[in-house]
Amino acid sequence: MRFSAHWFTLGFCLSYAAILVFELGVITYYPITGHWHIGAPLDNEGPAMHWYGLVTLALIVGGVVAVVLKEQWLPRLLRQHNVFIVWVLMLATGWLLRGFWLGA
Amino acid sequence: MTLYQLINLSLLLTHGLVSVALIGAVTHQCAAVLFPSTDKTGGTFISRYRQVKGAGFARAVALLYISNLILGGILYPEYRLEVRYALEEMHLLSTVGLFELKEHWAAIGLALLPIYLSAWHTEPAIHQPVSHRKAATLTLGFIIWFTFLTGHVVNNVRGL
């Protein structure tokens, strides 16, 4: 079983962005009650934390993509400049959080 | 101080200490890829600082990064309940936003780790340009420095 580092980065970044943009927080943790929940967010459980689910899902998607897809199927440009995708995702998260600084 | 508080404090201190080790290792690597030293005689401290064999640091950086992310993940609910509410009550939304950005960028750093490791353990002349190694290392260095400084600032504003 071969693991493609480049496919992992691509799979992780794209799934992370999709989950974040479309608010697909499938796995949620409620720190007050200590409950984990899969599915739509619950009421009366206190503040919800989506970060664990976000990272777990992105790791799973990245891992599956990295094992299933072959390195040579990835365009050469992406193989050589994969770090660029990481930068785009970092900028995108900054943009999505802009309300904290701009009061939007 | 209760046992719970003592455990949290120990975790926070360990989180900070691991961060310092991580910063030291990754900054060495960044210096080595940005300004590789050609001085073979040893020379000045700066020259010796740049002469480190970056490949020897790569696995340690990855291991420290993952360990620190796990430690941060354990402490995160405490931040969510104790610190974030206090920050919001003080109307320090920019600080809350900074921490949100830190959590996302720390996770995105995970996506970078495999290509960073592969860049350091593959011969650049055959498989990839040296610039790929440089880009992955500098990006990881940037994320590590940003998360460290943000954590430090937030902890100064309202600690656990």
Side-chain angles (χ1 to χ4, degrees):
Chain A
M1 192 166 67
R2 293 186 69 87
F3 181 88
S4 164
H6 293 94
W7 274 117
F8 175 82
T9 303
L10 192 65
F12 185 104
C13 289
L14 291 181
S15 55
Y16 196 93
I19 296 164
L20 201 61
V21 170
F22 298 111
E23 296 179 352
L24 307 170
V26 185
I27 305 168
T28 311
Y29 177 66
Y30 296 92
I32 288 181
T33 56
H35 288 162
W36 289 90
H37 180 72
I38 297 175
L42 301 170
D43 293 330
N44 306 322
E45 290 274 339
M49 296 176 73
H50 303 291
W51 185 78
Y52 299 109
L54 186 60
V55 176
T56 307
L57 285 176
L59 278 174
I60 291 169
V61 173
V64 169
V65 164
V67 170
V68 171
L69 301 178
K70 289 183 178 171
E71 185 97 9
Q72 57 264 35
W73 293 349
L74 195 68
R76 189 184 170 85
L77 189 72
L78 275 178
R79 243 179 294 162
Q80 290 188 341
H81 303 287
N82 222 346
V83 178
F84 180 71
I85 295 161
V86 172
W87 275 102
V88 170
L89 182 57
M90 287 168 70
L91 290 173
T93 51
W95 174 256
L96 289 170
L97 296 172
R98 67 190 184 284
F100 282 107
W101 301 286
L102 304 176
Chain B
M1 182 179 277
T2 63
L3 181 65
Y4 179 74
Q5 287 171 322
L6 196 67
I7 291 170
N8 266 341
L9 182 65
S10 309
L11 283 171
L12 186 65
L13 287 175
T14 312
H15 188 43
L17 288 172
V18 174
S19 300
V20 171
L22 185 56
I23 287 247
V26 85
T27 308
H28 253 305
Q29 267 194 328
C30 288
V33 292
L34 264 184
F35 314 106
S37 175
T38 50
D39 185 359
K40 302 290 178 199
T41 59
T44 63
F45 169 76
I46 302 291
S47 173
R48 287 197 301 277
Y49 191 87
R50 289 154 40 199
Q51 271 177 10
V52 295
K53 289 187 170 62
F57 283 81
R59 281 205 182 104
V61 166
L63 195 69
L64 286 168
Y65 192 90
I66 293 168
S67 311
N68 221 19
L69 197 77
I70 292 169
L71 281 166
I74 295 169
L75 285 164
Y76 191 26
E78 195 63 20
Y79 160 83
R80 185 70 181 81
L81 295 177
E82 298 294 328
V83 180
R84 186 171 164 162
Y85 276 139
L87 293 174
E88 284 172 351
E89 277 173 13
M90 290 188 277
H91 303 289
L92 294 172
L93 285 184
S94 56
T95 311
V96 175
L98 211 56
F99 196 88
E100 292 280 313
L101 199 59
K102 165 188 150 81
E103 97 191 17
H104 285 306
W105 285 8
I108 294 166
L110 269 183
L112 190 65
L113 281 186
I115 53 173
Y116 158 81
L117 282 171
S118 129
W120 277 104
H121 292 107
T122 316
E123 273 303 315
I126 302 167
H127 293 100
Q128 54 206 187
V130 177
S131 62
H132 183 69
R133 177 184 289 178
K134 193 185 280 186
T137 308
L138 293 179
T139 305
L140 193 65
F142 174 77
I143 290 173
I144 290 168
W145 269 100
F146 175 81
T147 52
F148 175 78
L149 292 175
T150 303
H152 192 66
V153 167
V154 173
N155 195 53
N156 281 355
V157 174
R158 174 68 164 84
L160 280 177

